[in-house]
mmCIF file of all heavy atoms in Angstrom:
data_model
loop_
_atom_site.group_PDB
_atom_site.id
_atom_site.type_symbol
_atom_site.label_atom_id
_atom_site.label_comp_id
_atom_site.label_asym_id
_atom_site.label_seq_id
_atom_site.Cartn_x
_atom_site.Cartn_y
_atom_site.Cartn_z
ATOM 1 N N TYR O 321 -10.805 33.018 6.571
ATOM 2 C CA TYR O 321 -10.440 31.876 5.860
ATOM 3 C C TYR O 321 -9.370 32.209 4.738
ATOM 4 O O TYR O 321 -8.383 31.633 4.705
ATOM 5 C CB TYR O 321 -11.571 31.198 5.142
ATOM 6 C CG TYR O 321 -12.507 30.433 5.940
ATOM 7 C CD1 TYR O 321 -13.623 29.789 5.434
ATOM 8 C CD2 TYR O 321 -12.357 30.193 7.416
ATOM 9 C CE1 TYR O 321 -14.550 29.068 6.240
ATOM 10 C CE2 TYR O 321 -13.204 29.564 8.169
ATOM 11 C CZ TYR O 321 -14.345 28.915 7.564
ATOM 12 O OH TYR O 321 -15.174 28.165 8.222
ATOM 13 N N SER O 322 -9.552 33.290 4.026
ATOM 14 C CA SER O 322 -8.686 33.792 3.045
ATOM 15 C C SER O 322 -7.356 34.144 3.552
ATOM 16 O O SER O 322 -6.335 33.835 2.968
ATOM 17 C CB SER O 322 -9.419 34.900 2.116
ATOM 18 O OG SER O 322 -9.461 36.135 2.886
ATOM 19 N N LEU O 323 -7.385 34.831 4.751
ATOM 20 C CA LEU O 323 -6.084 35.140 5.358
ATOM 21 C C LEU O 323 -5.353 33.867 5.762
ATOM 22 O O LEU O 323 -4.091 33.777 5.492
ATOM 23 C CB LEU O 323 -6.358 35.927 6.657
ATOM 24 C CG LEU O 323 -6.541 37.455 6.455
ATOM 25 C CD1 LEU O 323 -6.959 38.007 7.822
ATOM 26 C CD2 LEU O 323 -5.295 38.058 5.917
ATOM 27 N N THR O 324 -6.085 32.879 6.263
ATOM 28 C CA THR O 324 -5.455 31.600 6.603
ATOM 29 C C THR O 324 -4.852 30.864 5.466
ATOM 30 O O THR O 324 -3.797 30.346 5.517
ATOM 31 C CB THR O 324 -6.360 30.774 7.431
ATOM 32 O OG1 THR O 324 -7.011 31.520 8.457
ATOM 33 C CG2 THR O 324 -5.778 29.551 8.060
ATOM 34 N N LEU O 325 -5.704 30.831 4.381
ATOM 35 C CA LEU O 325 -5.141 30.268 3.115
ATOM 36 C C LEU O 325 -3.824 30.891 2.604
ATOM 37 O O LEU O 325 -3.008 30.289 2.193
ATOM 38 C CB LEU O 325 -6.297 30.308 2.048
ATOM 39 C CG LEU O 325 -7.357 29.202 2.029
ATOM 40 C CD1 LEU O 325 -8.441 29.587 1.165
ATOM 41 C CD2 LEU O 325 -6.658 27.869 1.755
ATOM 42 N N TRP O 326 -3.913 32.242 2.734
ATOM 43 C CA TRP O 326 -2.788 33.012 2.160
ATOM 44 C C TRP O 326 -1.504 32.755 2.868
ATOM 45 O O TRP O 326 -0.462 32.367 2.267
ATOM 46 C CB TRP O 326 -3.043 34.456 2.317
ATOM 47 C CG TRP O 326 -1.980 35.454 1.828
ATOM 48 C CD1 TRP O 326 -1.501 35.372 0.522
ATOM 49 C CD2 TRP O 326 -1.212 36.314 2.519
ATOM 50 N NE1 TRP O 326 -0.500 36.356 0.421
ATOM 51 C CE2 TRP O 326 -0.302 36.894 1.678
ATOM 52 C CE3 TRP O 326 -1.167 36.763 3.818
ATOM 53 C CZ2 TRP O 326 0.674 37.880 2.039
ATOM 54 C CZ3 TRP O 326 -0.322 37.659 4.296
ATOM 55 C CH2 TRP O 326 0.642 38.216 3.348
ATOM 56 N N VAL O 327 -1.539 32.712 4.206
ATOM 57 C CA VAL O 327 -0.358 32.387 5.038
ATOM 58 C C VAL O 327 0.164 30.949 4.851
ATOM 59 O O VAL O 327 1.295 30.572 4.797
ATOM 60 C CB VAL O 327 -0.470 32.825 6.505
ATOM 61 C CG1 VAL O 327 -0.623 34.252 6.636
ATOM 62 C CG2 VAL O 327 -1.588 32.039 7.118
ATOM 63 N N GLY O 328 -0.981 30.117 4.688
ATOM 64 C CA GLY O 328 -0.674 28.687 4.456
ATOM 65 C C GLY O 328 0.078 28.513 3.090
ATOM 66 O O GLY O 328 1.033 27.773 3.035
ATOM 67 N N SER O 329 -0.415 29.308 2.140
ATOM 68 C CA SER O 329 0.343 29.176 0.774
ATOM 69 C C SER O 329 1.770 29.714 0.792
ATOM 70 O O SER O 329 2.659 29.180 0.136
ATOM 71 C CB SER O 329 -0.516 29.942 -0.270
ATOM 72 O OG SER O 329 -0.476 31.293 -0.103
ATOM 73 N N LEU O 330 1.942 30.738 1.651
ATOM 74 C CA LEU O 330 3.312 31.212 1.829
ATOM 75 C C LEU O 330 4.292 30.220 2.443
ATOM 76 O O LEU O 330 5.334 29.976 2.027
ATOM 77 C CB LEU O 330 3.303 32.469 2.733
ATOM 78 C CG LEU O 330 2.616 33.734 2.094
ATOM 79 C CD1 LEU O 330 2.785 34.876 3.187
ATOM 80 C CD2 LEU O 330 3.269 34.176 0.876
ATOM 81 N N ALA O 331 3.643 29.489 3.454
ATOM 82 C CA ALA O 331 4.344 28.380 4.055
ATOM 83 C C ALA O 331 4.694 27.267 3.026
ATOM 84 O O ALA O 331 5.871 26.710 3.012
ATOM 85 C CB ALA O 331 3.587 27.793 5.171
ATOM 86 N N LEU O 332 3.737 26.967 2.141
ATOM 87 C CA LEU O 332 4.017 25.926 1.015
ATOM 88 C C LEU O 332 5.137 26.425 0.152
ATOM 89 O O LEU O 332 6.002 25.651 -0.174
ATOM 90 C CB LEU O 332 2.787 25.675 0.334
ATOM 91 C CG LEU O 332 1.611 24.981 1.078
ATOM 92 C CD1 LEU O 332 0.385 24.861 0.139
ATOM 93 C CD2 LEU O 332 2.083 23.618 1.527
ATOM 94 N N ALA O 333 5.213 27.686 -0.259
ATOM 95 C CA ALA O 333 6.128 28.227 -1.118
ATOM 96 C C ALA O 333 7.504 28.245 -0.426
ATOM 97 O O ALA O 333 8.571 27.775 -1.036
ATOM 98 C CB ALA O 333 5.852 29.707 -1.478
ATOM 99 N N ILE O 334 7.669 28.576 0.898
ATOM 100 C CA ILE O 334 8.862 28.522 1.676
ATOM 101 C C ILE O 334 9.390 27.149 1.831
ATOM 102 O O ILE O 334 10.641 26.967 1.762
ATOM 103 C CB ILE O 334 8.637 29.345 3.086
ATOM 104 C CG1 ILE O 334 8.387 30.729 2.841
ATOM 105 C CG2 ILE O 334 9.920 29.082 3.863
ATOM 106 C CD1 ILE O 334 7.947 31.439 4.134
ATOM 107 N N ALA O 335 8.446 26.159 1.993
ATOM 108 C CA ALA O 335 8.842 24.818 2.163
ATOM 109 C C ALA O 335 9.505 24.275 0.871
ATOM 110 O O ALA O 335 10.122 23.135 0.909
ATOM 111 C CB ALA O 335 7.691 23.965 2.671
ATOM 112 N N GLY O 336 9.158 24.824 -0.291
ATOM 113 C CA GLY O 336 9.648 24.281 -1.548
ATOM 114 C C GLY O 336 8.776 23.385 -2.168
ATOM 115 O O GLY O 336 9.258 22.587 -2.984
ATOM 116 N N ILE O 337 7.480 23.270 -1.771
ATOM 117 C CA ILE O 337 6.520 22.296 -2.353
ATOM 118 C C ILE O 337 6.383 22.620 -3.850
ATOM 119 O O ILE O 337 6.383 23.795 -4.239
ATOM 120 C CB ILE O 337 5.129 22.313 -1.619
ATOM 121 C CG1 ILE O 337 4.400 21.076 -1.850
ATOM 122 C CG2 ILE O 337 4.360 23.551 -1.925
ATOM 123 C CD1 ILE O 337 3.231 20.921 -0.957
ATOM 124 N N PRO O 338 6.248 21.634 -4.722
ATOM 125 C CA PRO O 338 6.046 21.897 -6.107
ATOM 126 C C PRO O 338 4.879 22.843 -6.288
ATOM 127 O O PRO O 338 3.785 22.643 -5.776
ATOM 128 C CB PRO O 338 5.860 20.450 -6.626
ATOM 129 C CG PRO O 338 6.563 19.539 -5.769
ATOM 130 C CD PRO O 338 6.425 20.214 -4.459
ATOM 131 N N SER O 339 5.085 23.731 -7.204
ATOM 132 C CA SER O 339 3.916 24.846 -7.565
ATOM 133 C C SER O 339 3.576 25.730 -6.274
ATOM 134 O O SER O 339 2.490 26.315 -6.403
ATOM 135 C CB SER O 339 2.747 24.190 -8.119
ATOM 136 O OG SER O 339 3.042 23.282 -9.197
ATOM 137 N N GLY O 340 4.444 25.595 -5.279
ATOM 138 C CA GLY O 340 4.128 26.448 -4.102
ATOM 139 C C GLY O 340 4.057 28.005 -4.464
ATOM 140 O O GLY O 340 3.143 28.617 -3.828
ATOM 141 N N ILE O 341 4.893 28.493 -5.292
ATOM 142 C CA ILE O 341 4.791 29.843 -5.664
ATOM 143 C C ILE O 341 3.560 30.155 -6.447
ATOM 144 O O ILE O 341 2.835 31.183 -6.126
ATOM 145 C CB ILE O 341 6.009 30.289 -6.535
ATOM 146 C CG1 ILE O 341 7.290 30.127 -5.713
ATOM 147 C CG2 ILE O 341 5.854 31.687 -7.115
ATOM 148 C CD1 ILE O 341 8.562 30.431 -6.470
#
Side-chain angles (χ1 to χ4, degrees):
Y321 284 179
S322 68
L323 278 174
T324 309
L325 276 170
W326 180 64
V327 295
S329 69
L330 294 181
L332 293 175
I334 292 171
I337 198 167
S339 303
I341 295 177

